PDB file of all heavy atoms in Angstrom:
ATOM      1  N   ARG T 171     -22.793  12.639   8.914  1.00  0.00           N
ATOM      2  CA  ARG T 171     -21.669  12.141   9.721  1.00  0.00           C
ATOM      3  C   ARG T 171     -20.987  13.264  10.477  1.00  0.00           C
ATOM      4  O   ARG T 171     -20.444  13.052  11.552  1.00  0.00           O
ATOM      5  CB  ARG T 171     -20.665  11.420   8.827  1.00  0.00           C
ATOM      6  CG  ARG T 171     -21.182  10.095   8.294  1.00  0.00           C
ATOM      7  CD  ARG T 171     -20.153   9.448   7.415  1.00  0.00           C
ATOM      8  NE  ARG T 171     -19.860  10.324   6.292  1.00  0.00           N
ATOM      9  CZ  ARG T 171     -19.899   9.960   5.023  1.00  0.00           C
ATOM     10  NH1 ARG T 171     -20.183   8.728   4.696  1.00  0.00           N
ATOM     11  NH2 ARG T 171     -19.642  10.821   4.065  1.00  0.00           N
ATOM     12  N   THR T 172     -20.990  14.472   9.902  1.00  0.00           N
ATOM     13  CA  THR T 172     -20.381  15.624  10.562  1.00  0.00           C
ATOM     14  C   THR T 172     -21.404  16.752  10.664  1.00  0.00           C
ATOM     15  O   THR T 172     -22.297  16.869   9.839  1.00  0.00           O
ATOM     16  CB  THR T 172     -19.150  16.129   9.787  1.00  0.00           C
ATOM     17  OG1 THR T 172     -19.543  16.465   8.457  1.00  0.00           O
ATOM     18  CG2 THR T 172     -18.056  15.082   9.735  1.00  0.00           C
ATOM     19  N   VAL T 173     -21.243  17.598  11.663  1.00  0.00           N
ATOM     20  CA  VAL T 173     -22.160  18.708  11.890  1.00  0.00           C
ATOM     21  C   VAL T 173     -21.890  19.802  10.862  1.00  0.00           C
ATOM     22  O   VAL T 173     -20.763  20.288  10.755  1.00  0.00           O
ATOM     23  CB  VAL T 173     -21.993  19.284  13.318  1.00  0.00           C
ATOM     24  CG1 VAL T 173     -22.945  20.439  13.544  1.00  0.00           C
ATOM     25  CG2 VAL T 173     -22.198  18.191  14.365  1.00  0.00           C
ATOM     26  N   PRO T 174     -22.916  20.200  10.091  1.00  0.00           N
ATOM     27  CA  PRO T 174     -22.720  21.283   9.120  1.00  0.00           C
ATOM     28  C   PRO T 174     -22.423  22.600   9.832  1.00  0.00           C
ATOM     29  O   PRO T 174     -23.028  22.909  10.860  1.00  0.00           O
ATOM     30  CB  PRO T 174     -24.065  21.373   8.395  1.00  0.00           C
ATOM     31  CG  PRO T 174     -24.795  20.124   8.740  1.00  0.00           C
ATOM     32  CD  PRO T 174     -24.239  19.634  10.038  1.00  0.00           C
ATOM     33  N   GLY T 175     -21.510  23.383   9.288  1.00  0.00           N
ATOM     34  CA  GLY T 175     -21.129  24.641   9.907  1.00  0.00           C
ATOM     35  C   GLY T 175     -22.154  25.739   9.749  1.00  0.00           C
ATOM     36  O   GLY T 175     -22.193  26.672  10.540  1.00  0.00           O
ATOM     37  N   ASP T 176     -23.028  25.638   8.750  1.00  0.00           N
ATOM     38  CA  ASP T 176     -23.976  26.713   8.462  1.00  0.00           C
ATOM     39  C   ASP T 176     -25.436  26.274   8.620  1.00  0.00           C
ATOM     40  O   ASP T 176     -26.317  26.788   7.947  1.00  0.00           O
ATOM     41  CB  ASP T 176     -23.752  27.238   7.055  1.00  0.00           C
ATOM     42  CG  ASP T 176     -23.911  26.157   5.988  1.00  0.00           C
ATOM     43  OD1 ASP T 176     -23.998  24.967   6.342  1.00  0.00           O
ATOM     44  OD2 ASP T 176     -23.943  26.502   4.800  1.00  0.00           O
ATOM     45  N   MET T 177     -25.686  25.357   9.511  1.00  0.00           N
ATOM     46  CA  MET T 177     -27.027  24.826   9.690  1.00  0.00           C
ATOM     47  C   MET T 177     -27.953  25.877  10.302  1.00  0.00           C
ATOM     48  O   MET T 177     -27.561  26.614  11.201  1.00  0.00           O
ATOM     49  CB  MET T 177     -26.989  23.580  10.582  1.00  0.00           C
ATOM     50  CG  MET T 177     -28.291  22.827  10.615  1.00  0.00           C
ATOM     51  SD  MET T 177     -28.133  21.209  11.397  1.00  0.00           S
ATOM     52  CE  MET T 177     -27.325  21.591  12.915  1.00  0.00           C
ATOM     53  N   GLN T 178     -29.187  25.947   9.795  1.00  0.00           N
ATOM     54  CA  GLN T 178     -30.180  26.870  10.326  1.00  0.00           C
ATOM     55  C   GLN T 178     -30.515  26.510  11.765  1.00  0.00           C
ATOM     56  O   GLN T 178     -30.615  25.340  12.115  1.00  0.00           O
ATOM     57  CB  GLN T 178     -31.460  26.807   9.497  1.00  0.00           C
ATOM     58  CG  GLN T 178     -31.296  27.193   8.050  1.00  0.00           C
ATOM     59  CD  GLN T 178     -32.586  26.986   7.282  1.00  0.00           C
ATOM     60  OE1 GLN T 178     -33.669  26.927   7.842  1.00  0.00           O
ATOM     61  NE2 GLN T 178     -32.463  26.872   5.978  1.00  0.00           N
ATOM     62  N   SER T 179     -30.743  27.523  12.599  1.00  0.00           N
ATOM     63  CA  SER T 179     -31.034  27.267  14.007  1.00  0.00           C
ATOM     64  C   SER T 179     -32.378  26.576  14.201  1.00  0.00           C
ATOM     65  O   SER T 179     -32.611  25.964  15.230  1.00  0.00           O
ATOM     66  CB  SER T 179     -31.009  28.581  14.790  1.00  0.00           C
ATOM     67  OG  SER T 179     -31.998  29.465  14.301  1.00  0.00           O
ATOM     68  N   SER T 180     -33.275  26.651  13.208  1.00  0.00           N
ATOM     69  CA  SER T 180     -34.591  26.033  13.337  1.00  0.00           C
ATOM     70  C   SER T 180     -34.573  24.543  13.000  1.00  0.00           C
ATOM     71  O   SER T 180     -35.591  23.870  13.094  1.00  0.00           O
ATOM     72  CB  SER T 180     -35.589  26.745  12.421  1.00  0.00           C
ATOM     73  OG  SER T 180     -35.150  26.665  11.071  1.00  0.00           O
ATOM     74  N   VAL T 181     -33.411  24.017  12.620  1.00  0.00           N
ATOM     75  CA  VAL T 181     -33.294  22.622  12.213  1.00  0.00           C
ATOM     76  C   VAL T 181     -32.665  21.806  13.333  1.00  0.00           C
ATOM     77  O   VAL T 181     -31.636  22.181  13.885  1.00  0.00           O
ATOM     78  CB  VAL T 181     -32.449  22.499  10.922  1.00  0.00           C
ATOM     79  CG1 VAL T 181     -32.250  21.043  10.543  1.00  0.00           C
ATOM     80  CG2 VAL T 181     -33.093  23.262   9.780  1.00  0.00           C
ATOM     81  N   LEU T 182     -33.275  20.698  13.657  1.00  0.00           N
ATOM     82  CA  LEU T 182     -32.708  19.769  14.636  1.00  0.00           C
ATOM     83  C   LEU T 182     -31.731  18.851  13.906  1.00  0.00           C
ATOM     84  O   LEU T 182     -31.934  18.505  12.749  1.00  0.00           O
ATOM     85  CB  LEU T 182     -33.825  18.957  15.291  1.00  0.00           C
ATOM     86  CG  LEU T 182     -34.905  19.761  16.011  1.00  0.00           C
ATOM     87  CD1 LEU T 182     -36.047  18.849  16.444  1.00  0.00           C
ATOM     88  CD2 LEU T 182     -34.324  20.494  17.198  1.00  0.00           C
ATOM     89  N   PHE T 183     -30.691  18.436  14.590  1.00  0.00           N
ATOM     90  CA  PHE T 183     -29.648  17.645  13.948  1.00  0.00           C
ATOM     91  C   PHE T 183     -29.284  16.443  14.801  1.00  0.00           C
ATOM     92  O   PHE T 183     -29.187  16.545  16.025  1.00  0.00           O
ATOM     93  CB  PHE T 183     -28.396  18.504  13.737  1.00  0.00           C
ATOM     94  CG  PHE T 183     -27.273  17.767  13.054  1.00  0.00           C
ATOM     95  CD1 PHE T 183     -27.301  17.542  11.695  1.00  0.00           C
ATOM     96  CD2 PHE T 183     -26.207  17.283  13.791  1.00  0.00           C
ATOM     97  CE1 PHE T 183     -26.272  16.856  11.062  1.00  0.00           C
ATOM     98  CE2 PHE T 183     -25.171  16.593  13.180  1.00  0.00           C
ATOM     99  CZ  PHE T 183     -25.206  16.383  11.809  1.00  0.00           C
ATOM    100  N   ILE T 184     -29.076  15.303  14.148  1.00  0.00           N
ATOM    101  CA  ILE T 184     -28.585  14.092  14.793  1.00  0.00           C
ATOM    102  C   ILE T 184     -27.352  13.642  14.021  1.00  0.00           C
ATOM    103  O   ILE T 184     -27.432  13.353  12.831  1.00  0.00           O
ATOM    104  CB  ILE T 184     -29.639  12.970  14.802  1.00  0.00           C
ATOM    105  CG1 ILE T 184     -30.883  13.409  15.584  1.00  0.00           C
ATOM    106  CG2 ILE T 184     -29.048  11.688  15.386  1.00  0.00           C
ATOM    107  CD1 ILE T 184     -32.049  12.448  15.483  1.00  0.00           C
ATOM    108  N   GLN T 185     -26.217  13.614  14.705  1.00  0.00           N
ATOM    109  CA  GLN T 185     -24.978  13.186  14.062  1.00  0.00           C
ATOM    110  C   GLN T 185     -24.929  11.666  14.037  1.00  0.00           C
ATOM    111  O   GLN T 185     -24.992  11.010  15.084  1.00  0.00           O
ATOM    112  CB  GLN T 185     -23.774  13.741  14.809  1.00  0.00           C
ATOM    113  CG  GLN T 185     -22.473  13.473  14.109  1.00  0.00           C
ATOM    114  CD  GLN T 185     -21.301  14.189  14.761  1.00  0.00           C
ATOM    115  OE1 GLN T 185     -21.454  14.920  15.726  1.00  0.00           O
ATOM    116  NE2 GLN T 185     -20.121  13.976  14.212  1.00  0.00           N
ATOM    117  N   ALA T 186     -24.850  11.095  12.819  1.00  0.00           N
ATOM    118  CA  ALA T 186     -24.815   9.645  12.677  1.00  0.00           C
ATOM    119  C   ALA T 186     -24.381   9.274  11.262  1.00  0.00           C
ATOM    120  O   ALA T 186     -24.568  10.042  10.329  1.00  0.00           O
ATOM    121  CB  ALA T 186     -26.191   9.050  12.959  1.00  0.00           C
ATOM    122  N   ASP T 187     -23.845   8.086  11.122  1.00  0.00           N
ATOM    123  CA  ASP T 187     -23.487   7.532   9.818  1.00  0.00           C
ATOM    124  C   ASP T 187     -24.565   6.514   9.463  1.00  0.00           C
ATOM    125  O   ASP T 187     -24.575   5.401   9.992  1.00  0.00           O
ATOM    126  CB  ASP T 187     -22.111   6.872   9.895  1.00  0.00           C
ATOM    127  CG  ASP T 187     -21.651   6.288   8.566  1.00  0.00           C
ATOM    128  OD1 ASP T 187     -22.457   6.239   7.604  1.00  0.00           O
ATOM    129  OD2 ASP T 187     -20.481   5.880   8.491  1.00  0.00           O
ATOM    130  N   VAL T 188     -25.482   6.890   8.573  1.00  0.00           N
ATOM    131  CA  VAL T 188     -26.616   6.017   8.259  1.00  0.00           C
ATOM    132  C   VAL T 188     -26.259   4.882   7.311  1.00  0.00           C
ATOM    133  O   VAL T 188     -27.128   4.100   6.931  1.00  0.00           O
ATOM    134  CB  VAL T 188     -27.832   6.810   7.723  1.00  0.00           C
ATOM    135  CG1 VAL T 188     -28.354   7.768   8.775  1.00  0.00           C
ATOM    136  CG2 VAL T 188     -27.495   7.538   6.434  1.00  0.00           C
ATOM    137  N   SER T 189     -24.973   4.750   6.977  1.00  0.00           N
ATOM    138  CA  SER T 189     -24.551   3.596   6.193  1.00  0.00           C
ATOM    139  C   SER T 189     -24.258   2.402   7.091  1.00  0.00           C
ATOM    140  O   SER T 189     -23.933   1.321   6.604  1.00  0.00           O
ATOM    141  CB  SER T 189     -23.321   3.933   5.339  1.00  0.00           C
ATOM    142  OG  SER T 189     -22.175   4.091   6.158  1.00  0.00           O
ATOM    143  N   LYS T 190     -24.386   2.601   8.388  1.00  0.00           N
ATOM    144  CA  LYS T 190     -24.121   1.536   9.364  1.00  0.00           C
ATOM    145  C   LYS T 190     -25.361   1.317  10.243  1.00  0.00           C
ATOM    146  O   LYS T 190     -26.058   2.270  10.585  1.00  0.00           O
ATOM    147  CB  LYS T 190     -22.928   1.909  10.226  1.00  0.00           C
ATOM    148  CG  LYS T 190     -21.661   2.144   9.419  1.00  0.00           C
ATOM    149  CD  LYS T 190     -20.485   2.411  10.303  1.00  0.00           C
ATOM    150  CE  LYS T 190     -19.189   2.637   9.599  1.00  0.00           C
ATOM    151  NZ  LYS T 190     -19.033   2.333   8.225  1.00  0.00           N
ATOM    152  N   PRO T 191     -25.645   0.072  10.605  1.00  0.00           N
ATOM    153  CA  PRO T 191     -26.837  -0.212  11.415  1.00  0.00           C
ATOM    154  C   PRO T 191     -26.915   0.591  12.716  1.00  0.00           C
ATOM    155  O   PRO T 191     -27.987   1.067  13.086  1.00  0.00           O
ATOM    156  CB  PRO T 191     -26.722  -1.712  11.704  1.00  0.00           C
ATOM    157  CG  PRO T 191     -25.942  -2.251  10.548  1.00  0.00           C
ATOM    158  CD  PRO T 191     -24.942  -1.155  10.211  1.00  0.00           C
ATOM    159  N   ASP T 192     -25.777   0.783  13.406  1.00  0.00           N
ATOM    160  CA  ASP T 192     -25.835   1.535  14.656  1.00  0.00           C
ATOM    161  C   ASP T 192     -26.135   3.018  14.406  1.00  0.00           C
ATOM    162  O   ASP T 192     -26.742   3.689  15.236  1.00  0.00           O
ATOM    163  CB  ASP T 192     -24.568   1.350  15.494  1.00  0.00           C
ATOM    164  CG  ASP T 192     -23.306   1.828  14.802  1.00  0.00           C
ATOM    165  OD1 ASP T 192     -23.225   1.759  13.556  1.00  0.00           O
ATOM    166  OD2 ASP T 192     -22.383   2.269  15.512  1.00  0.00           O
ATOM    167  N   GLY T 193     -25.735   3.536  13.244  1.00  0.00           N
ATOM    168  CA  GLY T 193     -26.062   4.913  12.888  1.00  0.00           C
ATOM    169  C   GLY T 193     -27.553   5.092  12.647  1.00  0.00           C
ATOM    170  O   GLY T 193     -28.157   6.083  13.062  1.00  0.00           O
ATOM    171  N   ILE T 194     -28.150   4.109  12.002  1.00  0.00           N
ATOM    172  CA  ILE T 194     -29.590   4.144  11.766  1.00  0.00           C
ATOM    173  C   ILE T 194     -30.330   4.083  13.100  1.00  0.00           C
ATOM    174  O   ILE T 194     -31.282   4.828  13.333  1.00  0.00           O
ATOM    175  CB  ILE T 194     -30.022   2.988  10.840  1.00  0.00           C
ATOM    176  CG1 ILE T 194     -29.407   3.201   9.448  1.00  0.00           C
ATOM    177  CG2 ILE T 194     -31.536   2.880  10.763  1.00  0.00           C
ATOM    178  CD1 ILE T 194     -29.513   2.017   8.543  1.00  0.00           C
ATOM    179  N   GLU T 195     -29.869   3.228  13.989  1.00  0.00           N
ATOM    180  CA  GLU T 195     -30.483   3.130  15.313  1.00  0.00           C
ATOM    181  C   GLU T 195     -30.378   4.455  16.074  1.00  0.00           C
ATOM    182  O   GLU T 195     -31.324   4.876  16.738  1.00  0.00           O
ATOM    183  CB  GLU T 195     -29.821   1.998  16.106  1.00  0.00           C
ATOM    184  CG  GLU T 195     -30.504   1.708  17.418  1.00  0.00           C
ATOM    185  CD  GLU T 195     -29.912   0.492  18.116  1.00  0.00           C
ATOM    186  OE1 GLU T 195     -29.377  -0.405  17.444  1.00  0.00           O
ATOM    187  OE2 GLU T 195     -30.006   0.457  19.354  1.00  0.00           O
ATOM    188  N   THR T 196     -29.245   5.130  15.945  1.00  0.00           N
ATOM    189  CA  THR T 196     -29.059   6.432  16.582  1.00  0.00           C
ATOM    190  C   THR T 196     -30.096   7.426  16.077  1.00  0.00           C
ATOM    191  O   THR T 196     -30.706   8.171  16.852  1.00  0.00           O
ATOM    192  CB  THR T 196     -27.639   6.971  16.304  1.00  0.00           C
ATOM    193  OG1 THR T 196     -26.691   6.086  16.904  1.00  0.00           O
ATOM    194  CG2 THR T 196     -27.452   8.375  16.848  1.00  0.00           C
ATOM    195  N   VAL T 197     -30.308   7.453  14.763  1.00  0.00           N
ATOM    196  CA  VAL T 197     -31.284   8.378  14.176  1.00  0.00           C
ATOM    197  C   VAL T 197     -32.702   8.030  14.620  1.00  0.00           C
ATOM    198  O   VAL T 197     -33.465   8.905  15.056  1.00  0.00           O
ATOM    199  CB  VAL T 197     -31.185   8.392  12.639  1.00  0.00           C
ATOM    200  CG1 VAL T 197     -32.303   9.223  12.028  1.00  0.00           C
ATOM    201  CG2 VAL T 197     -29.825   8.924  12.203  1.00  0.00           C
ATOM    202  N   VAL T 198     -33.065   6.764  14.534  1.00  0.00           N
ATOM    203  CA  VAL T 198     -34.421   6.345  14.927  1.00  0.00           C
ATOM    204  C   VAL T 198     -34.690   6.703  16.384  1.00  0.00           C
ATOM    205  O   VAL T 198     -35.728   7.289  16.714  1.00  0.00           O
ATOM    206  CB  VAL T 198     -34.621   4.828  14.683  1.00  0.00           C
ATOM    207  CG1 VAL T 198     -35.913   4.332  15.323  1.00  0.00           C
ATOM    208  CG2 VAL T 198     -34.615   4.533  13.191  1.00  0.00           C
ATOM    209  N   ASN T 199     -33.763   6.382  17.258  1.00  0.00           N
ATOM    210  CA  ASN T 199     -33.950   6.689  18.677  1.00  0.00           C
ATOM    211  C   ASN T 199     -34.006   8.193  18.930  1.00  0.00           C
ATOM    212  O   ASN T 199     -34.806   8.669  19.738  1.00  0.00           O
ATOM    213  CB  ASN T 199     -32.850   6.040  19.523  1.00  0.00           C
ATOM    214  CG  ASN T 199     -32.957   4.537  19.552  1.00  0.00           C
ATOM    215  OD1 ASN T 199     -34.022   3.969  19.339  1.00  0.00           O
ATOM    216  ND2 ASN T 199     -31.844   3.871  19.794  1.00  0.00           N
ATOM    217  N   GLY T 200     -33.157   8.951  18.233  1.00  0.00           N
ATOM    218  CA  GLY T 200     -33.147  10.405  18.396  1.00  0.00           C
ATOM    219  C   GLY T 200     -34.455  11.043  17.941  1.00  0.00           C
ATOM    220  O   GLY T 200     -34.979  11.949  18.596  1.00  0.00           O
ATOM    221  N   VAL T 201     -34.988  10.575  16.828  1.00  0.00           N
ATOM    222  CA  VAL T 201     -36.269  11.098  16.335  1.00  0.00           C
ATOM    223  C   VAL T 201     -37.386  10.740  17.303  1.00  0.00           C
ATOM    224  O   VAL T 201     -38.226  11.587  17.642  1.00  0.00           O
ATOM    225  CB  VAL T 201     -36.574  10.571  14.918  1.00  0.00           C
ATOM    226  CG1 VAL T 201     -38.004  10.895  14.514  1.00  0.00           C
ATOM    227  CG2 VAL T 201     -35.590  11.150  13.913  1.00  0.00           C
ATOM    228  N   ARG T 202     -37.412   9.523  17.765  1.00  0.00           N
ATOM    229  CA  ARG T 202     -38.450   9.113  18.731  1.00  0.00           C
ATOM    230  C   ARG T 202     -38.396   9.958  19.998  1.00  0.00           C
ATOM    231  O   ARG T 202     -39.424  10.376  20.513  1.00  0.00           O
ATOM    232  CB  ARG T 202     -38.301   7.640  19.082  1.00  0.00           C
ATOM    233  CG  ARG T 202     -38.799   6.722  18.017  1.00  0.00           C
ATOM    234  CD  ARG T 202     -38.720   5.284  18.474  1.00  0.00           C
ATOM    235  NE  ARG T 202     -39.259   4.400  17.464  1.00  0.00           N
ATOM    236  CZ  ARG T 202     -38.895   3.143  17.318  1.00  0.00           C
ATOM    237  NH1 ARG T 202     -38.001   2.612  18.139  1.00  0.00           N
ATOM    238  NH2 ARG T 202     -39.423   2.398  16.375  1.00  0.00           N
ATOM    239  N   GLU T 203     -37.185  10.201  20.497  1.00  0.00           N
ATOM    240  CA  GLU T 203     -37.029  10.999  21.721  1.00  0.00           C
ATOM    241  C   GLU T 203     -37.491  12.436  21.520  1.00  0.00           C
ATOM    242  O   GLU T 203     -38.120  13.017  22.394  1.00  0.00           O
ATOM    243  CB  GLU T 203     -35.563  11.000  22.169  1.00  0.00           C
ATOM    244  CG  GLU T 203     -35.087   9.685  22.731  1.00  0.00           C
ATOM    245  CD  GLU T 203     -33.579   9.664  22.968  1.00  0.00           C
ATOM    246  OE1 GLU T 203     -32.931  10.730  22.873  1.00  0.00           O
ATOM    247  OE2 GLU T 203     -33.052   8.570  23.225  1.00  0.00           O
ATOM    248  N   ARG T 204     -37.165  13.023  20.387  1.00  0.00           N
ATOM    249  CA  ARG T 204     -37.460  14.435  20.154  1.00  0.00           C
ATOM    250  C   ARG T 204     -38.865  14.701  19.637  1.00  0.00           C
ATOM    251  O   ARG T 204     -39.472  15.708  19.984  1.00  0.00           O
ATOM    252  CB  ARG T 204     -36.453  15.029  19.173  1.00  0.00           C
ATOM    253  CG  ARG T 204     -35.061  15.069  19.747  1.00  0.00           C
ATOM    254  CD  ARG T 204     -34.090  15.585  18.730  1.00  0.00           C
ATOM    255  NE  ARG T 204     -32.737  15.494  19.253  1.00  0.00           N
ATOM    256  CZ  ARG T 204     -31.689  15.954  18.602  1.00  0.00           C
ATOM    257  NH1 ARG T 204     -31.827  16.531  17.434  1.00  0.00           N
ATOM    258  NH2 ARG T 204     -30.490  15.836  19.126  1.00  0.00           N
ATOM    259  N   LEU T 205     -39.366  13.817  18.767  1.00  0.00           N
ATOM    260  CA  LEU T 205     -40.653  14.077  18.122  1.00  0.00           C
ATOM    261  C   LEU T 205     -41.704  13.003  18.359  1.00  0.00           C
ATOM    262  O   LEU T 205     -42.871  13.226  18.060  1.00  0.00           O
ATOM    263  CB  LEU T 205     -40.454  14.240  16.600  1.00  0.00           C
ATOM    264  CG  LEU T 205     -39.505  15.342  16.150  1.00  0.00           C
ATOM    265  CD1 LEU T 205     -39.400  15.348  14.630  1.00  0.00           C
ATOM    266  CD2 LEU T 205     -39.969  16.695  16.663  1.00  0.00           C
ATOM    267  N   GLY T 206     -41.293  11.851  18.804  1.00  0.00           N
ATOM    268  CA  GLY T 206     -42.230  10.764  19.027  1.00  0.00           C
ATOM    269  C   GLY T 206     -42.454   9.894  17.809  1.00  0.00           C
ATOM    270  O   GLY T 206     -42.906   8.766  17.929  1.00  0.00           O
ATOM    271  N   GLY T 207     -42.165  10.393  16.627  1.00  0.00           N
ATOM    272  CA  GLY T 207     -42.366   9.618  15.405  1.00  0.00           C
ATOM    273  C   GLY T 207     -42.048  10.446  14.176  1.00  0.00           C
ATOM    274  O   GLY T 207     -41.625  11.593  14.275  1.00  0.00           O
ATOM    275  N   ILE T 208     -42.286   9.846  13.015  1.00  0.00           N
ATOM    276  CA  ILE T 208     -41.962  10.483  11.741  1.00  0.00           C
ATOM    277  C   ILE T 208     -43.224  10.575  10.893  1.00  0.00           C
ATOM    278  O   ILE T 208     -43.968   9.607  10.763  1.00  0.00           O
ATOM    279  CB  ILE T 208     -40.907   9.651  10.966  1.00  0.00           C
ATOM    280  CG1 ILE T 208     -39.606   9.574  11.744  1.00  0.00           C
ATOM    281  CG2 ILE T 208     -40.684  10.222   9.574  1.00  0.00           C
ATOM    282  CD1 ILE T 208     -38.592   8.624  11.136  1.00  0.00           C
ATOM    283  N   ASP T 209     -43.459  11.747  10.299  1.00  0.00           N
ATOM    284  CA  ASP T 209     -44.551  11.916   9.342  1.00  0.00           C
ATOM    285  C   ASP T 209     -44.048  11.803   7.909  1.00  0.00           C
ATOM    286  O   ASP T 209     -44.731  11.270   7.043  1.00  0.00           O
ATOM    287  CB  ASP T 209     -45.237  13.272   9.532  1.00  0.00           C
ATOM    288  CG  ASP T 209     -45.996  13.349  10.855  1.00  0.00           C
ATOM    289  OD1 ASP T 209     -46.556  12.328  11.281  1.00  0.00           O
ATOM    290  OD2 ASP T 209     -45.999  14.432  11.460  1.00  0.00           O
ATOM    291  N   ILE T 210     -42.862  12.347   7.643  1.00  0.00           N
ATOM    292  CA  ILE T 210     -42.265  12.309   6.305  1.00  0.00           C
ATOM    293  C   ILE T 210     -40.807  11.910   6.461  1.00  0.00           C
ATOM    294  O   ILE T 210     -40.102  12.440   7.306  1.00  0.00           O
ATOM    295  CB  ILE T 210     -42.319  13.694   5.621  1.00  0.00           C
ATOM    296  CG1 ILE T 210     -43.751  14.175   5.463  1.00  0.00           C
ATOM    297  CG2 ILE T 210     -41.617  13.647   4.263  1.00  0.00           C
ATOM    298  CD1 ILE T 210     -43.849  15.621   5.002  1.00  0.00           C
ATOM    299  N   LEU T 211     -40.349  10.988   5.619  1.00  0.00           N
ATOM    300  CA  LEU T 211     -38.942  10.598   5.610  1.00  0.00           C
ATOM    301  C   LEU T 211     -38.395  10.829   4.209  1.00  0.00           C
ATOM    302  O   LEU T 211     -38.950  10.331   3.231  1.00  0.00           O
ATOM    303  CB  LEU T 211     -38.769   9.124   5.984  1.00  0.00           C
ATOM    304  CG  LEU T 211     -37.358   8.552   5.855  1.00  0.00           C
ATOM    305  CD1 LEU T 211     -36.416   9.230   6.841  1.00  0.00           C
ATOM    306  CD2 LEU T 211     -37.370   7.059   6.047  1.00  0.00           C
ATOM    307  N   VAL T 212     -37.331  11.616   4.107  1.00  0.00           N
ATOM    308  CA  VAL T 212     -36.653  11.844   2.836  1.00  0.00           C
ATOM    309  C   VAL T 212     -35.280  11.211   2.945  1.00  0.00           C
ATOM    310  O   VAL T 212     -34.472  11.617   3.773  1.00  0.00           O
ATOM    311  CB  VAL T 212     -36.525  13.355   2.520  1.00  0.00           C
ATOM    312  CG1 VAL T 212     -35.762  13.560   1.225  1.00  0.00           C
ATOM    313  CG2 VAL T 212     -37.893  14.018   2.470  1.00  0.00           C
ATOM    314  N   ASN T 213     -35.020  10.216   2.114  1.00  0.00           N
ATOM    315  CA  ASN T 213     -33.718   9.560   2.093  1.00  0.00           C
ATOM    316  C   ASN T 213     -32.918  10.184   0.968  1.00  0.00           C
ATOM    317  O   ASN T 213     -33.193   9.968  -0.202  1.00  0.00           O
ATOM    318  CB  ASN T 213     -33.884   8.062   1.871  1.00  0.00           C
ATOM    319  CG  ASN T 213     -32.565   7.328   1.916  1.00  0.00           C
ATOM    320  OD1 ASN T 213     -31.508   7.926   2.055  1.00  0.00           O
ATOM    321  ND2 ASN T 213     -32.623   6.028   1.785  1.00  0.00           N
ATOM    322  N   ASN T 214     -31.925  10.974   1.325  1.00  0.00           N
ATOM    323  CA  ASN T 214     -31.121  11.687   0.340  1.00  0.00           C
ATOM    324  C   ASN T 214     -29.648  11.336   0.530  1.00  0.00           C
ATOM    325  O   ASN T 214     -28.797  12.198   0.624  1.00  0.00           O
ATOM    326  CB  ASN T 214     -31.362  13.198   0.496  1.00  0.00           C
ATOM    327  CG  ASN T 214     -30.691  13.987  -0.584  1.00  0.00           C
ATOM    328  OD1 ASN T 214     -30.762  13.638  -1.743  1.00  0.00           O
ATOM    329  ND2 ASN T 214     -30.013  15.054  -0.190  1.00  0.00           N
ATOM    330  N   VAL T 215     -29.353  10.060   0.596  1.00  0.00           N
ATOM    331  CA  VAL T 215     -27.980   9.600   0.789  1.00  0.00           C
ATOM    332  C   VAL T 215     -27.171   9.922  -0.463  1.00  0.00           C
ATOM    333  O   VAL T 215     -27.648   9.740  -1.586  1.00  0.00           O
ATOM    334  CB  VAL T 215     -27.957   8.085   1.088  1.00  0.00           C
ATOM    335  CG1 VAL T 215     -26.535   7.568   1.169  1.00  0.00           C
ATOM    336  CG2 VAL T 215     -28.695   7.800   2.377  1.00  0.00           C
ATOM    337  N   GLY T 216     -25.953  10.385  -0.285  1.00  0.00           N
ATOM    338  CA  GLY T 216     -25.120  10.832  -1.390  1.00  0.00           C
ATOM    339  C   GLY T 216     -24.711   9.761  -2.374  1.00  0.00           C
ATOM    340  O   GLY T 216     -24.418  10.036  -3.521  1.00  0.00           O
ATOM    341  N   GLY T 217     -24.697   8.543  -1.999  1.00  0.00           N
ATOM    342  CA  GLY T 217     -24.299   7.470  -2.895  1.00  0.00           C
ATOM    343  C   GLY T 217     -24.859   6.155  -2.407  1.00  0.00           C
ATOM    344  O   GLY T 217     -25.280   6.034  -1.275  1.00  0.00           O
TER     345      GLY T 217
END
């Protein structure tokens, strides 16, 4: 939901709240635009 202050420069970031449908859509669209698709998905939601 918020941009981490110490994120590695080699990591791409998409700001979104994945607890909401529009946040999930933001992530899916962002990944498609940047990479074309997903090979591995790790769901590490805090709660």
Side-chain angles (χ1 to χ4, degrees):
R171 290 179 300 232
T172 58
V173 180
D176 59 349
M177 190 169 51
Q178 299 175 21
S179 61
S180 59
V181 176
L182 302 172
F183 181 77
I184 299 172
Q185 187 172 358
D187 181 351
V188 297
S189 71
K190 301 184 179 347
D192 61 329
I194 294 168
E195 187 174 333
T196 296
V197 173
V198 169
N199 291 336
V201 169
R202 284 184 177 153
E203 288 171 10
R204 294 177 186 184
L205 302 179
I208 298 172
D209 292 325
I210 300 171
L211 173 65
V212 177
N213 183 357
N214 187 45
V215 175

